[in-house]
Amino acid sequence: MRTSPLDGAWALVTGECIDNGQMVRYAEHGISSRKVLAAGHFTFVSSRQGAFWSAGSGRFHFDGERYVEQPNLGTFPPEALREYAFQARIDGNDWHNERWEDGTRVEYELWRRIDDTP
């Protein structure tokens, strides 16, 4: 039973983010990722060019329009363990996330559901 419409397993379809002032398009770098959400918790694992790249987990909240992650464990520096707020939209089995800072979109992700959790 889902406690959130996001509960389940997701695969990253496409995405991009600004890193050190440069736009990074995930497909150009061979980045793929899986994310599992359940009962207010998330975990993800990502690869780059087929090799392990990063992982993280923590808590999440989704109110129907805003998805907020609060990682508390990950393979990134401690300063990255902060809140990340996204404008989110579910369209069928697709989940769109956009993160904005100071009027600039700094991250976009499109995830697709890969399970059939009732």
Side-chain angles (χ1 to χ4, degrees):
M1 172 185 254
R2 291 186 178 141
T3 59
S4 163
L6 292 176
D7 281 6
W10 299 86
L12 183 67
V13 175
T14 189
E16 61 187 22
C17 70
I18 295 177
D19 186 29
N20 293 322
Q22 300 295 315
M23 181 62 71
V24 175
R25 290 178 177 78
Y26 298 163
E28 293 174 6
H29 295 276
I31 295 171
S32 63
S33 189
R34 299 291 184 269
K35 186 177 283 197
V36 177
L37 296 99
H41 297 270
F42 76 91
T43 190
F44 75 88
V45 63
S46 300
S47 65
R48 183 175 181 171
Q49 302 294 335
F52 175 81
W53 186 45
S54 66
S57 67
R59 305 274 313 175
F60 82 91
H61 174 75
F62 178 61
D63 67 9
E65 295 179 1
R66 192 166 179 255
Y67 171 76
V68 179
E69 280 187 350
Q70 298 165 317
N72 56 25
L73 180 67
T75 57
F76 19 81
E79 60 271 12
L81 296 177
R82 62 181 180 85
E83 183 175 284
Y84 295 89
F86 296 83
Q87 293 176 357
R89 174 175 56 88
I90 299 173
D91 182 16
N93 285 325
D94 290 346
W95 168 29
H96 301 261
N97 278 333
E98 291 183 314
R99 187 164 60 88
W100 296 78
E101 292 179 1
D102 299 323
T104 300
R105 189 176 80 174
V106 297
E107 189 170 5
Y108 170 76
E109 299 172 331
L110 170 58
W111 297 88
R112 184 156 296 138
R113 188 177 296 281
I114 56 174
D115 72 346
D116 59 0
T117 305

PDB file of all heavy atoms in Angstrom, residues 7 10 14 22-23 30-31 36 39-40 45 49 59 62 64 66 68-69 71 73 77 87 89 94 104-105 107 109 117:
ATOM      1  N   ASP A   7       5.447   6.636  -3.934  1.00  0.00           N
ATOM      2  CA  ASP A   7       5.992   5.381  -3.424  1.00  0.00           C
ATOM      3  C   ASP A   7       6.145   4.379  -4.558  1.00  0.00           C
ATOM      4  O   ASP A   7       5.242   4.213  -5.379  1.00  0.00           O
ATOM      5  CB  ASP A   7       5.086   4.793  -2.339  1.00  0.00           C
ATOM      6  CG  ASP A   7       5.267   5.462  -0.989  1.00  0.00           C
ATOM      7  OD1 ASP A   7       6.012   6.468  -0.906  1.00  0.00           O
ATOM      8  OD2 ASP A   7       4.660   4.982  -0.017  1.00  0.00           O
ATOM      9  N   TRP A  10      11.599   3.885  -9.374  1.00  0.00           N
ATOM     10  CA  TRP A  10      11.684   4.815 -10.495  1.00  0.00           C
ATOM     11  C   TRP A  10      13.027   4.694 -11.199  1.00  0.00           C
ATOM     12  O   TRP A  10      14.053   4.455 -10.558  1.00  0.00           O
ATOM     13  CB  TRP A  10      11.525   6.246  -9.996  1.00  0.00           C
ATOM     14  CG  TRP A  10      10.221   6.507  -9.329  1.00  0.00           C
ATOM     15  CD1 TRP A  10       9.908   6.285  -8.013  1.00  0.00           C
ATOM     16  CD2 TRP A  10       9.035   7.011  -9.942  1.00  0.00           C
ATOM     17  NE1 TRP A  10       8.597   6.630  -7.772  1.00  0.00           N
ATOM     18  CE2 TRP A  10       8.038   7.082  -8.932  1.00  0.00           C
ATOM     19  CE3 TRP A  10       8.712   7.423 -11.224  1.00  0.00           C
ATOM     20  CZ2 TRP A  10       6.752   7.541  -9.187  1.00  0.00           C
ATOM     21  CZ3 TRP A  10       7.427   7.890 -11.477  1.00  0.00           C
ATOM     22  CH2 TRP A  10       6.471   7.938 -10.473  1.00  0.00           C
ATOM     23  N   THR A  14      15.825  11.059 -18.123  1.00  0.00           N
ATOM     24  CA  THR A  14      16.688  12.121 -18.606  1.00  0.00           C
ATOM     25  C   THR A  14      16.855  13.150 -17.494  1.00  0.00           C
ATOM     26  O   THR A  14      16.083  13.159 -16.532  1.00  0.00           O
ATOM     27  CB  THR A  14      16.125  12.784 -19.876  1.00  0.00           C
ATOM     28  OG1 THR A  14      17.105  13.678 -20.420  1.00  0.00           O
ATOM     29  CG2 THR A  14      14.847  13.538 -19.596  1.00  0.00           C
ATOM     30  N   GLN A  22      28.348  25.136 -15.020  1.00  0.00           N
ATOM     31  CA  GLN A  22      28.169  24.530 -16.341  1.00  0.00           C
ATOM     32  C   GLN A  22      26.976  23.586 -16.336  1.00  0.00           C
ATOM     33  O   GLN A  22      26.755  22.862 -15.374  1.00  0.00           O
ATOM     34  CB  GLN A  22      29.422  23.730 -16.734  1.00  0.00           C
ATOM     35  CG  GLN A  22      30.683  24.558 -16.813  1.00  0.00           C
ATOM     36  CD  GLN A  22      30.610  25.575 -17.922  1.00  0.00           C
ATOM     37  OE1 GLN A  22      30.188  25.274 -19.037  1.00  0.00           O
ATOM     38  NE2 GLN A  22      31.000  26.814 -17.636  1.00  0.00           N
ATOM     39  N   MET A  23      26.216  23.569 -17.439  1.00  0.00           N
ATOM     40  CA  MET A  23      25.095  22.654 -17.573  1.00  0.00           C
ATOM     41  C   MET A  23      25.629  21.254 -17.875  1.00  0.00           C
ATOM     42  O   MET A  23      26.418  21.071 -18.803  1.00  0.00           O
ATOM     43  CB  MET A  23      24.160  23.105 -18.704  1.00  0.00           C
ATOM     44  CG  MET A  23      22.964  22.212 -18.894  1.00  0.00           C
ATOM     45  SD  MET A  23      21.875  22.131 -17.462  1.00  0.00           S
ATOM     46  CE  MET A  23      21.147  23.768 -17.510  1.00  0.00           C
ATOM     47  N   GLY A  30      26.544   9.617 -19.655  1.00  0.00           N
ATOM     48  CA  GLY A  30      26.197   8.224 -19.392  1.00  0.00           C
ATOM     49  C   GLY A  30      25.680   7.983 -17.987  1.00  0.00           C
ATOM     50  O   GLY A  30      25.927   6.937 -17.397  1.00  0.00           O
ATOM     51  N   ILE A  31      24.957   8.965 -17.436  1.00  0.00           N
ATOM     52  CA  ILE A  31      24.445   8.843 -16.068  1.00  0.00           C
ATOM     53  C   ILE A  31      23.088   8.151 -16.086  1.00  0.00           C
ATOM     54  O   ILE A  31      22.197   8.540 -16.836  1.00  0.00           O
ATOM     55  CB  ILE A  31      24.335  10.230 -15.400  1.00  0.00           C
ATOM     56  CG1 ILE A  31      25.740  10.831 -15.246  1.00  0.00           C
ATOM     57  CG2 ILE A  31      23.634  10.135 -14.047  1.00  0.00           C
ATOM     58  CD1 ILE A  31      25.761  12.271 -14.796  1.00  0.00           C
ATOM     59  N   VAL A  36      14.084   4.557  -5.122  1.00  0.00           N
ATOM     60  CA  VAL A  36      12.975   3.867  -4.480  1.00  0.00           C
ATOM     61  C   VAL A  36      12.465   4.755  -3.354  1.00  0.00           C
ATOM     62  O   VAL A  36      13.253   5.243  -2.535  1.00  0.00           O
ATOM     63  CB  VAL A  36      13.399   2.489  -3.927  1.00  0.00           C
ATOM     64  CG1 VAL A  36      12.246   1.821  -3.196  1.00  0.00           C
ATOM     65  CG2 VAL A  36      13.910   1.595  -5.053  1.00  0.00           C
ATOM     66  N   ALA A  39       7.039   5.169   2.286  1.00  0.00           N
ATOM     67  CA  ALA A  39       6.709   5.619   3.642  1.00  0.00           C
ATOM     68  C   ALA A  39       7.552   6.808   4.098  1.00  0.00           C
ATOM     69  O   ALA A  39       8.030   6.852   5.226  1.00  0.00           O
ATOM     70  CB  ALA A  39       6.842   4.469   4.622  1.00  0.00           C
ATOM     71  N   GLY A  40       7.769   7.778   3.199  1.00  0.00           N
ATOM     72  CA  GLY A  40       8.500   8.985   3.561  1.00  0.00           C
ATOM     73  C   GLY A  40      10.015   8.868   3.502  1.00  0.00           C
ATOM     74  O   GLY A  40      10.721   9.798   3.885  1.00  0.00           O
ATOM     75  N   VAL A  45      20.601   5.107  -6.231  1.00  0.00           N
ATOM     76  CA  VAL A  45      21.950   4.721  -6.631  1.00  0.00           C
ATOM     77  C   VAL A  45      22.101   5.119  -8.095  1.00  0.00           C
ATOM     78  O   VAL A  45      21.172   4.952  -8.890  1.00  0.00           O
ATOM     79  CB  VAL A  45      22.243   3.221  -6.401  1.00  0.00           C
ATOM     80  CG1 VAL A  45      21.346   2.344  -7.248  1.00  0.00           C
ATOM     81  CG2 VAL A  45      23.709   2.903  -6.622  1.00  0.00           C
ATOM     82  N   GLN A  49      28.703   6.018 -16.950  1.00  0.00           N
ATOM     83  CA  GLN A  49      29.401   5.158 -17.908  1.00  0.00           C
ATOM     84  C   GLN A  49      29.446   3.703 -17.424  1.00  0.00           C
ATOM     85  O   GLN A  49      30.439   3.012 -17.589  1.00  0.00           O
ATOM     86  CB  GLN A  49      30.829   5.668 -18.180  1.00  0.00           C
ATOM     87  CG  GLN A  49      30.903   7.082 -18.698  1.00  0.00           C
ATOM     88  CD  GLN A  49      30.282   7.240 -20.080  1.00  0.00           C
ATOM     89  OE1 GLN A  49      30.189   6.303 -20.858  1.00  0.00           O
ATOM     90  NE2 GLN A  49      29.819   8.446 -20.377  1.00  0.00           N
ATOM     91  N   ARG A  59      14.899  11.281   3.980  1.00  0.00           N
ATOM     92  CA  ARG A  59      13.447  11.454   4.078  1.00  0.00           C
ATOM     93  C   ARG A  59      12.958  12.300   2.906  1.00  0.00           C
ATOM     94  O   ARG A  59      13.724  13.080   2.348  1.00  0.00           O
ATOM     95  CB  ARG A  59      13.089  12.161   5.385  1.00  0.00           C
ATOM     96  CG  ARG A  59      13.603  11.506   6.646  1.00  0.00           C
ATOM     97  CD  ARG A  59      12.760  10.450   7.211  1.00  0.00           C
ATOM     98  NE  ARG A  59      11.359  10.853   7.286  1.00  0.00           N
ATOM     99  CZ  ARG A  59      10.402  10.032   7.661  1.00  0.00           C
ATOM    100  NH1 ARG A  59      10.675   8.807   7.994  1.00  0.00           N
ATOM    101  NH2 ARG A  59       9.150  10.444   7.712  1.00  0.00           N
ATOM    102  N   PHE A  62       6.043  14.957  -0.165  1.00  0.00           N
ATOM    103  CA  PHE A  62       5.441  15.375  -1.422  1.00  0.00           C
ATOM    104  C   PHE A  62       4.018  15.838  -1.138  1.00  0.00           C
ATOM    105  O   PHE A  62       3.220  15.103  -0.556  1.00  0.00           O
ATOM    106  CB  PHE A  62       5.426  14.206  -2.413  1.00  0.00           C
ATOM    107  CG  PHE A  62       4.778  14.524  -3.732  1.00  0.00           C
ATOM    108  CD1 PHE A  62       5.279  15.521  -4.552  1.00  0.00           C
ATOM    109  CD2 PHE A  62       3.682  13.810  -4.160  1.00  0.00           C
ATOM    110  CE1 PHE A  62       4.680  15.815  -5.768  1.00  0.00           C
ATOM    111  CE2 PHE A  62       3.077  14.085  -5.374  1.00  0.00           C
ATOM    112  CZ  PHE A  62       3.580  15.086  -6.185  1.00  0.00           C
ATOM    113  N   GLY A  64       1.941  17.089  -3.584  1.00  0.00           N
ATOM    114  CA  GLY A  64       1.205  17.135  -4.840  1.00  0.00           C
ATOM    115  C   GLY A  64       1.800  18.090  -5.852  1.00  0.00           C
ATOM    116  O   GLY A  64       1.579  17.947  -7.045  1.00  0.00           O
ATOM    117  N   ARG A  66       5.030  19.970  -4.696  1.00  0.00           N
ATOM    118  CA  ARG A  66       6.392  20.220  -4.218  1.00  0.00           C
ATOM    119  C   ARG A  66       6.948  18.928  -3.621  1.00  0.00           C
ATOM    120  O   ARG A  66       6.334  18.333  -2.735  1.00  0.00           O
ATOM    121  CB  ARG A  66       6.355  21.320  -3.167  1.00  0.00           C
ATOM    122  CG  ARG A  66       7.688  21.873  -2.808  1.00  0.00           C
ATOM    123  CD  ARG A  66       7.494  23.179  -2.019  1.00  0.00           C
ATOM    124  NE  ARG A  66       8.774  23.716  -1.646  1.00  0.00           N
ATOM    125  CZ  ARG A  66       9.291  23.669  -0.428  1.00  0.00           C
ATOM    126  NH1 ARG A  66       8.614  23.128   0.562  1.00  0.00           N
ATOM    127  NH2 ARG A  66      10.470  24.181  -0.181  1.00  0.00           N
ATOM    128  N   VAL A  68      10.223  17.413  -1.663  1.00  0.00           N
ATOM    129  CA  VAL A  68      11.368  17.865  -0.873  1.00  0.00           C
ATOM    130  C   VAL A  68      12.130  16.648  -0.368  1.00  0.00           C
ATOM    131  O   VAL A  68      11.554  15.763   0.276  1.00  0.00           O
ATOM    132  CB  VAL A  68      10.904  18.727   0.329  1.00  0.00           C
ATOM    133  CG1 VAL A  68      12.103  19.172   1.152  1.00  0.00           C
ATOM    134  CG2 VAL A  68      10.109  19.932  -0.155  1.00  0.00           C
ATOM    135  N   GLU A  69      13.421  16.603  -0.689  1.00  0.00           N
ATOM    136  CA  GLU A  69      14.307  15.551  -0.180  1.00  0.00           C
ATOM    137  C   GLU A  69      15.169  16.132   0.928  1.00  0.00           C
ATOM    138  O   GLU A  69      15.659  17.259   0.814  1.00  0.00           O
ATOM    139  CB  GLU A  69      15.245  15.040  -1.278  1.00  0.00           C
ATOM    140  CG  GLU A  69      14.631  14.080  -2.201  1.00  0.00           C
ATOM    141  CD  GLU A  69      15.619  13.460  -3.184  1.00  0.00           C
ATOM    142  OE1 GLU A  69      16.783  13.898  -3.284  1.00  0.00           O
ATOM    143  OE2 GLU A  69      15.194  12.549  -3.885  1.00  0.00           O
ATOM    144  N   PRO A  71      18.300  14.467   2.435  1.00  0.00           N
ATOM    145  CA  PRO A  71      19.244  13.360   2.561  1.00  0.00           C
ATOM    146  C   PRO A  71      19.979  13.408   3.898  1.00  0.00           C
ATOM    147  O   PRO A  71      20.283  14.486   4.413  1.00  0.00           O
ATOM    148  CB  PRO A  71      20.202  13.569   1.390  1.00  0.00           C
ATOM    149  CG  PRO A  71      20.063  14.991   1.001  1.00  0.00           C
ATOM    150  CD  PRO A  71      18.694  15.422   1.399  1.00  0.00           C
ATOM    151  N   LEU A  73      22.321  10.596   4.411  1.00  0.00           N
ATOM    152  CA  LEU A  73      23.395   9.646   4.161  1.00  0.00           C
ATOM    153  C   LEU A  73      23.688   9.681   2.673  1.00  0.00           C
ATOM    154  O   LEU A  73      22.761   9.694   1.856  1.00  0.00           O
ATOM    155  CB  LEU A  73      22.944   8.241   4.575  1.00  0.00           C
ATOM    156  CG  LEU A  73      23.922   7.097   4.394  1.00  0.00           C
ATOM    157  CD1 LEU A  73      25.113   7.285   5.342  1.00  0.00           C
ATOM    158  CD2 LEU A  73      23.235   5.773   4.690  1.00  0.00           C
ATOM    159  N   PRO A  77      29.827  15.204  -0.257  1.00  0.00           N
ATOM    160  CA  PRO A  77      30.354  15.938   0.896  1.00  0.00           C
ATOM    161  C   PRO A  77      29.259  16.308   1.898  1.00  0.00           C
ATOM    162  O   PRO A  77      28.092  16.455   1.526  1.00  0.00           O
ATOM    163  CB  PRO A  77      30.964  17.196   0.291  1.00  0.00           C
ATOM    164  CG  PRO A  77      30.833  17.091  -1.177  1.00  0.00           C
ATOM    165  CD  PRO A  77      30.017  15.899  -1.515  1.00  0.00           C
ATOM    166  N   GLN A  87       9.899  21.601  -7.762  1.00  0.00           N
ATOM    167  CA  GLN A  87       8.551  21.671  -8.294  1.00  0.00           C
ATOM    168  C   GLN A  87       8.342  20.325  -8.968  1.00  0.00           C
ATOM    169  O   GLN A  87       9.169  19.910  -9.793  1.00  0.00           O
ATOM    170  CB  GLN A  87       8.419  22.801  -9.301  1.00  0.00           C
ATOM    171  CG  GLN A  87       8.563  24.166  -8.700  1.00  0.00           C
ATOM    172  CD  GLN A  87       8.517  25.262  -9.756  1.00  0.00           C
ATOM    173  OE1 GLN A  87       8.431  25.012 -10.952  1.00  0.00           O
ATOM    174  NE2 GLN A  87       8.607  26.493  -9.292  1.00  0.00           N
ATOM    175  N   ARG A  89       5.701  17.187 -10.692  1.00  0.00           N
ATOM    176  CA  ARG A  89       4.451  16.890 -11.384  1.00  0.00           C
ATOM    177  C   ARG A  89       4.468  15.430 -11.796  1.00  0.00           C
ATOM    178  O   ARG A  89       5.467  14.932 -12.336  1.00  0.00           O
ATOM    179  CB  ARG A  89       4.326  17.791 -12.605  1.00  0.00           C
ATOM    180  CG  ARG A  89       3.162  17.530 -13.499  1.00  0.00           C
ATOM    181  CD  ARG A  89       3.063  18.567 -14.613  1.00  0.00           C
ATOM    182  NE  ARG A  89       4.251  18.685 -15.438  1.00  0.00           N
ATOM    183  CZ  ARG A  89       4.495  17.958 -16.534  1.00  0.00           C
ATOM    184  NH1 ARG A  89       3.648  17.039 -16.914  1.00  0.00           N
ATOM    185  NH2 ARG A  89       5.589  18.168 -17.240  1.00  0.00           N
ATOM    186  N   ASP A  94       5.117   9.023 -15.379  1.00  0.00           N
ATOM    187  CA  ASP A  94       6.264   9.929 -15.426  1.00  0.00           C
ATOM    188  C   ASP A  94       6.203  10.922 -14.273  1.00  0.00           C
ATOM    189  O   ASP A  94       5.131  11.412 -13.923  1.00  0.00           O
ATOM    190  CB  ASP A  94       6.298  10.703 -16.750  1.00  0.00           C
ATOM    191  CG  ASP A  94       6.653   9.833 -17.927  1.00  0.00           C
ATOM    192  OD1 ASP A  94       7.130   8.689 -17.730  1.00  0.00           O
ATOM    193  OD2 ASP A  94       6.453  10.289 -19.063  1.00  0.00           O
ATOM    194  N   THR A 104      16.825  30.711 -11.279  1.00  0.00           N
ATOM    195  CA  THR A 104      17.477  29.910 -12.310  1.00  0.00           C
ATOM    196  C   THR A 104      17.185  28.438 -12.067  1.00  0.00           C
ATOM    197  O   THR A 104      17.330  27.956 -10.938  1.00  0.00           O
ATOM    198  CB  THR A 104      19.011  30.121 -12.285  1.00  0.00           C
ATOM    199  OG1 THR A 104      19.283  31.497 -12.522  1.00  0.00           O
ATOM    200  CG2 THR A 104      19.715  29.265 -13.315  1.00  0.00           C
ATOM    201  N   ARG A 105      16.772  27.742 -13.127  1.00  0.00           N
ATOM    202  CA  ARG A 105      16.581  26.303 -12.985  1.00  0.00           C
ATOM    203  C   ARG A 105      17.947  25.640 -12.916  1.00  0.00           C
ATOM    204  O   ARG A 105      18.741  25.739 -13.848  1.00  0.00           O
ATOM    205  CB  ARG A 105      15.777  25.727 -14.155  1.00  0.00           C
ATOM    206  CG  ARG A 105      15.404  24.261 -13.885  1.00  0.00           C
ATOM    207  CD  ARG A 105      14.534  23.694 -14.953  1.00  0.00           C
ATOM    208  NE  ARG A 105      15.378  23.318 -16.074  1.00  0.00           N
ATOM    209  CZ  ARG A 105      14.926  22.684 -17.140  1.00  0.00           C
ATOM    210  NH1 ARG A 105      13.646  22.402 -17.269  1.00  0.00           N
ATOM    211  NH2 ARG A 105      15.742  22.369 -18.107  1.00  0.00           N
ATOM    212  N   GLU A 107      18.291  22.303 -11.851  1.00  0.00           N
ATOM    213  CA  GLU A 107      18.197  20.857 -12.020  1.00  0.00           C
ATOM    214  C   GLU A 107      16.843  20.499 -12.619  1.00  0.00           C
ATOM    215  O   GLU A 107      15.829  21.108 -12.286  1.00  0.00           O
ATOM    216  CB  GLU A 107      18.358  20.157 -10.669  1.00  0.00           C
ATOM    217  CG  GLU A 107      18.499  18.671 -10.735  1.00  0.00           C
ATOM    218  CD  GLU A 107      18.894  18.044  -9.401  1.00  0.00           C
ATOM    219  OE1 GLU A 107      18.974  18.765  -8.389  1.00  0.00           O
ATOM    220  OE2 GLU A 107      19.119  16.832  -9.390  1.00  0.00           O
ATOM    221  N   GLU A 109      14.807  16.704 -13.754  1.00  0.00           N
ATOM    222  CA  GLU A 109      14.853  15.247 -13.847  1.00  0.00           C
ATOM    223  C   GLU A 109      13.501  14.745 -14.337  1.00  0.00           C
ATOM    224  O   GLU A 109      12.458  15.254 -13.934  1.00  0.00           O
ATOM    225  CB  GLU A 109      15.113  14.604 -12.483  1.00  0.00           C
ATOM    226  CG  GLU A 109      16.409  14.998 -11.844  1.00  0.00           C
ATOM    227  CD  GLU A 109      16.522  14.497 -10.413  1.00  0.00           C
ATOM    228  OE1 GLU A 109      15.476  14.338  -9.738  1.00  0.00           O
ATOM    229  OE2 GLU A 109      17.656  14.261  -9.986  1.00  0.00           O
ATOM    230  N   THR A 117       3.413  -1.281  -8.061  1.00  0.00           N
ATOM    231  CA  THR A 117       2.940  -1.296  -6.694  1.00  0.00           C
ATOM    232  C   THR A 117       1.476  -0.833  -6.659  1.00  0.00           C
ATOM    233  O   THR A 117       1.168   0.222  -7.215  1.00  0.00           O
ATOM    234  CB  THR A 117       3.794  -0.369  -5.805  1.00  0.00           C
ATOM    235  OG1 THR A 117       5.155  -0.757  -5.920  1.00  0.00           O
ATOM    236  CG2 THR A 117       3.358  -0.426  -4.363  1.00  0.00           C
TER     237      THR A 117
END
